[in-house]
Coordinates of all heavy atoms in Angstrom, one line a residue:
C89 N -47.2 0.8 -12.0 CA -46.7 -0.2 -11.1 C -46.9 -1.6 -11.8 O -47.9 -1.7 -12.6 CB -47.3 -0.2 -9.7 SG -49.1 -0.6 -9.7
G90 N -46.1 -2.5 -11.5 CA -46.2 -3.8 -12.2 C -46.5 -4.9 -11.2 O -46.0 -4.9 -10.0
V91 N -47.3 -5.8 -11.6 CA -47.6 -7.0 -10.7 C -47.2 -8.3 -11.5 O -47.5 -8.4 -12.7 CB -49.1 -7.1 -10.5 CG1 -49.5 -8.3 -9.7 CG2 -49.6 -5.8 -9.8
P92 N -46.4 -9.1 -10.9 CA -45.9 -10.3 -11.6 C -47.1 -11.1 -12.1 O -48.1 -11.4 -11.4 CB -45.2 -11.1 -10.5 CG -44.7 -10.1 -9.5 CD -45.8 -9.0 -9.5
D93 N -47.0 -11.5 -13.4 CA -48.1 -12.3 -14.0 C -47.5 -13.1 -15.1 O -47.1 -12.6 -16.1 CB -49.2 -11.3 -14.6 CG -50.4 -12.0 -15.1 OD1 -50.3 -13.3 -15.3 OD2 -51.4 -11.4 -15.4
G94 N -47.4 -14.4 -14.8 CA -46.8 -15.3 -15.8 C -47.6 -15.4 -17.1 O -47.0 -15.9 -18.1
A95 N -48.9 -15.0 -17.1 CA -49.6 -15.1 -18.3 C -49.3 -14.0 -19.3 O -49.7 -14.1 -20.5 CB -51.1 -15.1 -18.0
Q96 N -48.6 -13.0 -18.9 CA -48.2 -11.9 -19.7 C -46.9 -12.2 -20.4 O -46.0 -12.7 -19.8 CB -48.1 -10.6 -18.9 CG -49.4 -10.2 -18.2 CD -50.6 -10.0 -19.2 OE1 -50.4 -9.4 -20.2 NE2 -51.7 -10.5 -18.8
P97 N -46.7 -11.7 -21.7 CA -45.4 -12.0 -22.4 C -44.2 -11.4 -21.6 O -43.1 -12.0 -21.6 CB -45.6 -11.3 -23.7 CG -47.1 -11.2 -23.9 CD -47.7 -11.1 -22.5
S98 N -44.4 -10.3 -20.9 CA -43.3 -9.6 -20.2 C -43.1 -10.2 -18.8 O -42.1 -9.9 -18.1 CB -43.5 -8.1 -20.1 OG -44.7 -7.9 -19.3
G99 N -44.1 -11.0 -18.4 CA -44.0 -11.6 -17.0 C -44.6 -10.6 -16.0 O -44.6 -10.9 -14.8
M100 N -45.1 -9.4 -16.5 CA -45.6 -8.4 -15.6 C -46.9 -7.9 -16.1 O -47.1 -7.8 -17.4 CB -44.7 -7.2 -15.4 CG -43.3 -7.6 -14.8 SD -43.4 -8.0 -13.0 CE -43.7 -6.4 -12.3
R101 N -47.9 -7.6 -15.3 CA -49.1 -6.9 -15.6 C -49.0 -5.5 -15.1 O -48.9 -5.2 -13.9 CB -50.3 -7.6 -15.1 CG -51.6 -6.9 -15.5 CD -52.9 -7.8 -15.1 NE -53.1 -7.7 -13.7 CZ -52.8 -8.7 -12.8 NH1 -52.3 -9.8 -13.3 NH2 -53.0 -8.6 -11.5
W102 N -49.0 -4.5 -16.0 CA -48.8 -3.1 -15.7 C -50.1 -2.4 -15.4 O -51.1 -2.6 -16.1 CB -48.0 -2.4 -16.7 CG -46.6 -2.9 -16.8 CD1 -46.1 -3.9 -17.6 CD2 -45.5 -2.5 -15.9 NE1 -44.8 -4.1 -17.3 CE2 -44.4 -3.2 -16.3 CE3 -45.4 -1.5 -14.9 CZ2 -43.1 -3.0 -15.7 CZ3 -44.2 -1.3 -14.3 CH2 -43.1 -2.1 -14.7
H103 N -50.1 -1.5 -14.4 CA -51.3 -0.7 -14.1 C -50.9 0.7 -14.0 O -49.8 1.1 -13.6 CB -51.8 -1.1 -12.7 CG -52.3 -2.5 -12.6 ND1 -53.6 -2.9 -13.0 CD2 -51.7 -3.7 -12.2 CE1 -53.7 -4.2 -12.8 NE2 -52.6 -4.7 -12.3
T104 N -51.8 1.6 -14.3 CA -51.7 3.0 -14.1 C -52.2 3.3 -12.7 O -53.2 2.9 -12.2 CB -52.5 3.8 -15.1 OG1 -52.0 3.6 -16.4 CG2 -52.4 5.3 -14.8
V105 N -51.4 4.1 -11.9 CA -51.8 4.5 -10.6 C -51.8 6.0 -10.5 O -51.0 6.7 -11.2 CB -50.9 4.0 -9.5 CG1 -50.9 2.5 -9.4 CG2 -49.4 4.4 -9.7
T106 N -52.7 6.6 -9.7 CA -52.7 8.1 -9.5 C -52.4 8.3 -8.0 O -52.8 7.5 -7.2 CB -54.0 8.7 -9.8 OG1 -55.1 7.9 -9.2 CG2 -54.3 8.7 -11.4
V107 N -51.6 9.3 -7.8 CA -51.1 9.6 -6.4 C -51.4 11.1 -6.1 O -51.0 12.0 -6.9 CB -49.6 9.3 -6.3 CG1 -49.1 9.6 -4.9 CG2 -49.3 7.9 -6.6
L108 N -52.0 11.4 -5.0 CA -52.2 12.8 -4.6 C -51.1 13.2 -3.7 O -50.9 12.7 -2.6 CB -53.6 12.9 -3.9 CG -54.0 14.3 -3.5 CD1 -54.2 15.1 -4.8 CD2 -55.3 14.3 -2.7
L109 N -50.4 14.3 -4.1 CA -49.4 14.9 -3.3 C -49.9 15.8 -2.2 O -51.0 16.4 -2.4 CB -48.4 15.6 -4.2 CG -47.7 14.9 -5.3 CD1 -46.9 15.8 -6.1 CD2 -46.9 13.7 -4.8
P110 N -49.2 16.0 -1.1 CA -49.6 16.9 -0.1 C -49.6 18.3 -0.6 O -48.8 18.6 -1.6 CB -48.6 16.7 1.0 CG -48.0 15.4 0.8 CD -48.0 15.2 -0.7
P111 N -50.3 19.3 -0.1 CA -50.3 20.7 -0.6 C -48.9 21.2 -0.5 O -48.1 21.0 0.4 CB -51.2 21.4 0.4 CG -52.1 20.3 1.0 CD -51.3 19.1 1.0
G112 N -48.6 22.0 -1.6 CA -47.3 22.6 -1.7 C -46.2 21.8 -2.2 O -45.1 22.3 -2.5
V113 N -46.4 20.5 -2.4 CA -45.3 19.6 -2.9 C -45.5 19.4 -4.4 O -46.6 19.1 -4.9 CB -45.4 18.2 -2.2 CG1 -44.4 17.2 -2.8 CG2 -45.1 18.3 -0.7
R114 N -44.4 19.6 -5.1 CA -44.4 19.3 -6.5 C -43.2 18.4 -6.9 O -42.1 18.6 -6.3 CB -44.3 20.6 -7.3 CG -45.6 21.5 -7.3 CD -45.4 22.8 -8.1 NE -46.7 23.5 -8.1 CZ -47.6 23.4 -9.0 NH1 -47.5 22.5 -9.9 NH2 -48.7 24.1 -8.9
L115 N -43.5 17.5 -7.7 CA -42.4 16.6 -8.1 C -42.1 16.8 -9.6 O -43.0 16.9 -10.4 CB -42.8 15.1 -7.9 CG -43.0 14.7 -6.4 CD1 -43.4 13.2 -6.4 CD2 -41.8 14.9 -5.6
P116 N -40.8 16.9 -10.0 CA -40.5 17.0 -11.4 C -40.9 15.7 -12.1 O -41.0 14.6 -11.5 CB -39.0 17.2 -11.4 CG -38.5 16.7 -10.2 CD -39.6 16.9 -9.2
R117 N -41.0 15.7 -13.4 CA -41.3 14.5 -14.2 C -40.1 13.5 -14.0 O -39.0 13.9 -13.8 CB -41.4 14.9 -15.7 CG -42.7 15.7 -16.0 CD -42.7 16.0 -17.5 NE -42.7 14.9 -18.3 CZ -43.9 14.2 -18.7 NH1 -45.0 14.7 -18.2 NH2 -43.8 13.2 -19.4
R118 N -40.5 12.3 -14.1 CA -39.5 11.2 -13.9 C -39.0 11.0 -12.5 O -38.0 10.3 -12.3 CB -38.3 11.3 -14.9 CG -38.7 11.4 -16.4 CD -39.5 10.1 -16.8 NE -40.0 10.2 -18.1 CZ -40.8 9.3 -18.7 NH1 -41.2 8.3 -18.0 NH2 -41.2 9.4 -19.9
T119 N -39.6 11.7 -11.5 CA -39.2 11.4 -10.2 C -39.6 10.0 -9.8 O -40.6 9.5 -10.1 CB -40.0 12.4 -9.2 OG1 -39.6 13.7 -9.5 CG2 -39.7 12.0 -7.8
V120 N -38.6 9.3 -9.1 CA -38.9 7.9 -8.6 C -39.2 8.0 -7.1 O -38.4 8.5 -6.3 CB -37.7 7.0 -8.9 CG1 -37.9 5.6 -8.3 CG2 -37.4 7.0 -10.4
A121 N -40.4 7.6 -6.8 CA -40.7 7.6 -5.4 C -41.2 6.2 -5.0 O -40.5 5.2 -5.1 CB -41.8 8.6 -5.1
D122 N -42.5 6.1 -4.6 CA -43.0 4.7 -4.2 C -43.4 4.0 -5.5 O -43.7 2.8 -5.4 CB -44.2 4.9 -3.3 CG -43.8 5.4 -1.9 OD1 -42.6 5.2 -1.6 OD2 -44.6 6.0 -1.2
V123 N -43.6 4.7 -6.6 CA -43.9 4.0 -7.9 C -42.8 4.4 -8.9 O -42.1 5.4 -8.7 CB -45.3 4.5 -8.4 CG1 -46.4 4.0 -7.5 CG2 -45.3 6.0 -8.6
H124 N -42.6 3.6 -9.9 CA -41.6 3.8 -10.9 C -42.2 4.3 -12.2 O -43.4 4.1 -12.5 CB -40.9 2.4 -11.2 CG -40.2 1.9 -9.9 ND1 -39.1 2.3 -9.4 CD2 -40.6 0.9 -9.1 CE1 -38.8 1.6 -8.3 NE2 -39.7 0.7 -8.1
E125 N -41.3 4.9 -12.9 CA -41.7 5.5 -14.2 C -42.7 6.6 -14.0 O -43.7 6.7 -14.8 CB -42.1 4.5 -15.2 CG -41.0 3.5 -15.5 CD -41.5 2.3 -16.3 OE1 -42.5 2.4 -17.0 OE2 -40.9 1.3 -16.2
L126 N -42.6 7.4 -12.9 CA -43.6 8.4 -12.6 C -43.6 9.4 -13.8 O -42.6 10.0 -14.1 CB -43.2 9.2 -11.3 CG -44.3 10.0 -10.7 CD1 -45.4 9.1 -10.2 CD2 -43.7 10.7 -9.5
R127 N -44.8 9.6 -14.4 CA -44.9 10.4 -15.6 C -45.1 11.9 -15.4 O -44.8 12.7 -16.2 CB -46.0 9.9 -16.5 CG -45.7 8.5 -17.1 CD -46.7 8.2 -18.2 NE -48.0 7.9 -17.6 CZ -48.4 6.7 -17.3 NH1 -47.6 5.6 -17.5 NH2 -49.7 6.5 -16.9
G128 N -45.6 12.2 -14.2 CA -45.8 13.7 -13.9 C -47.3 14.0 -13.7 O -48.1 13.1 -13.6
P129 N -47.6 15.3 -13.5 CA -48.9 15.7 -13.1 C -49.9 15.4 -14.2 O -49.6 15.4 -15.4 CB -48.8 17.2 -12.9 CG -47.3 17.5 -12.7 CD -46.6 16.4 -13.5
V130 N -51.1 15.0 -13.7 CA -52.2 14.8 -14.7 C -52.8 16.1 -15.1 O -53.0 17.0 -14.3 CB -53.4 14.0 -14.0 CG1 -54.6 13.8 -14.9 CG2 -52.8 12.6 -13.5
P131 N -52.9 16.4 -16.4 CA -53.4 17.7 -16.9 C -54.8 17.9 -16.3 O -55.7 17.0 -16.3 CB -53.4 17.6 -18.4 CG -53.4 16.1 -18.7 CD -52.6 15.5 -17.5
A132 N -55.1 19.2 -16.0 CA -56.4 19.5 -15.4 C -57.6 19.2 -16.3 O -58.7 18.8 -15.8 CB -56.4 21.0 -14.9
W133 N -57.4 19.4 -17.6 CA -58.5 19.1 -18.6 C -59.0 17.7 -18.5 O -60.1 17.4 -18.9 CB -58.1 19.5 -20.0 CG -56.9 18.9 -20.5 CD1 -55.6 19.4 -20.6 CD2 -56.8 17.5 -21.1 NE1 -54.8 18.5 -21.2 CE2 -55.4 17.3 -21.5 CE3 -57.7 16.5 -21.3 CZ2 -55.0 16.2 -22.1 CZ3 -57.3 15.3 -21.9 CH2 -55.9 15.2 -22.3
A134 N -58.1 16.7 -18.1 CA -58.5 15.3 -18.1 C -59.6 15.1 -17.1 O -60.3 14.1 -17.2 CB -57.2 14.5 -17.8

Side-chain angles (χ1 to χ4, degrees):
C89 67
V91 177
D93 186 345
Q96 303 298 318
S98 65
M100 299 288 286
R101 183 173 70 256
W102 290 94
H103 298 275
T104 295
V105 295
T106 49
V107 179
L108 185 65
L109 301 177
V113 174
R114 289 181 177 270
L115 296 180
R117 291 177 63 85
R118 301 300 176 189
T119 295
V120 177
D122 292 335
V123 294
H124 300 283
E125 297 170 27
L126 199 64
R127 289 192 289 267
V130 176
W133 56 260

